[in-house]
Every structure is written in structure tokens, then in C-alpha cells.
Amino acid sequence: SRNYDYDKTYQRDKQGDEVTENARIWNVYLDEAESYDMDMVQGFRNNIDGLLVFAALFSAVVTTFVAQTSQSLQPDNGQIIASILYENNQLLRAAGNKTSIDAVPKTALVPGSQTYSSTDLWE
């Protein structure tokens, strides 16, 4: 409940002092600016509370998503080793039976397979 009757709140300036640095207009301006700034800061406080809640919820959802999907991005080393050992056994059998090595099927480490990873691109 602000008093907007400036004649009651502030004394009138003497004639000729209306433009000095201590004039009534500056006191009115400072009080109005302070009131405006306080309202603006209170609005920012209310806004930031909502933003912080949203950021916390968003962070929790993204963290859960990343934690769940990062596990599926890792190559299955056991499957890779089993595939390579199987191919190795087939090559040894082919060499023992005098079968062409080209007749032995290659390991299925291709893009899209469960055992494929980005490191397969560089090998």
C-alpha cells in the first residue's frame, strides 16, 4: 500500500530549487525506481523457481536415458570372442581337411550386428 500523494510524502521545493540535485523530483524518482525494481526482482525470483524445478526434472530424465542407453552401446566382448574362436576353429578344421580356406564362412562382425562397434571400422 504505497502512498501516491507526493504532496504529503515529499515537501515542495522552494521556488528556483526545482532543478537542483536535491529537488523533490529525484526523491520521487528514486522511490518509484526502487518500487519498480523490487517488483521486477520478485518476478524473477518466481520465474527462477519454476525454471529450477524444470531443469531438475529434465536432468533426471536425461540422466536415466543416458544410463540406460550407454549400456547397450558397449560391444558384447564375450560374443565377439566366441565368434572369432568359432571362425578360428573352422579355419583349423579346413586346414586339417585340406579344404579351401575361402570356403570357411567369415565372422559376422558387420555394421548392424550385435557385436559390431565403432572400433570395428578401424580394423
Side-chain angles (χ1 to χ4, degrees):
S1 66
R2 288 192 32 88
N3 183 8
Y4 291 103
D5 188 2
Y6 300 120
D7 289 329
K8 290 182 180 177
T9 308
Y10 307 102
Q11 294 180 355
R12 285 198 168 271
D13 294 327
K14 295 179 187 174
Q15 190 168 359
D17 287 343
E18 295 94 351
V19 293
T20 63
E21 61 186 40
N22 294 324
R24 177 172 86 161
I25 187 69
W26 299 119
N27 292 325
V28 172
Y29 171 77
L30 289 174
D31 286 348
E32 289 297 319
E34 181 181 9
S35 173
Y36 176 81
D37 289 346
M38 292 298 281
D39 290 342
M40 188 171 59
V41 167
Q42 185 62 35
F44 287 156
R45 284 183 184 156
N46 293 339
N47 267 351
I48 199 71
D49 287 343
L51 289 174
L52 287 174
V53 168
F54 173 75
L57 291 173
F58 181 77
S59 173
V61 168
V62 169
T63 301
T64 303
F65 175 73
V66 168
Q68 293 298 319
T69 56
S70 67
Q71 294 170 358
S72 64
L73 294 176
Q74 300 297 321
D76 185 358
N77 292 328
Q79 181 65 35
I80 292 171
I81 290 172
S83 296
I84 292 172
L85 286 175
Y86 177 76
E87 182 179 356
N88 191 27
N89 279 344
Q90 294 294 345
L91 289 171
L92 289 173
R93 284 186 182 152
N97 293 336
K98 297 183 181 176
T99 307
S100 172
I101 292 179
D102 294 330
V104 175
K106 294 186 177 185
T107 305
L109 293 177
V110 295
S113 70
Q114 289 182 338
T115 59
Y116 181 76
S117 71
S118 60
T119 57
D120 294 332
L121 295 174
W122 305 107
E123 293 177 3

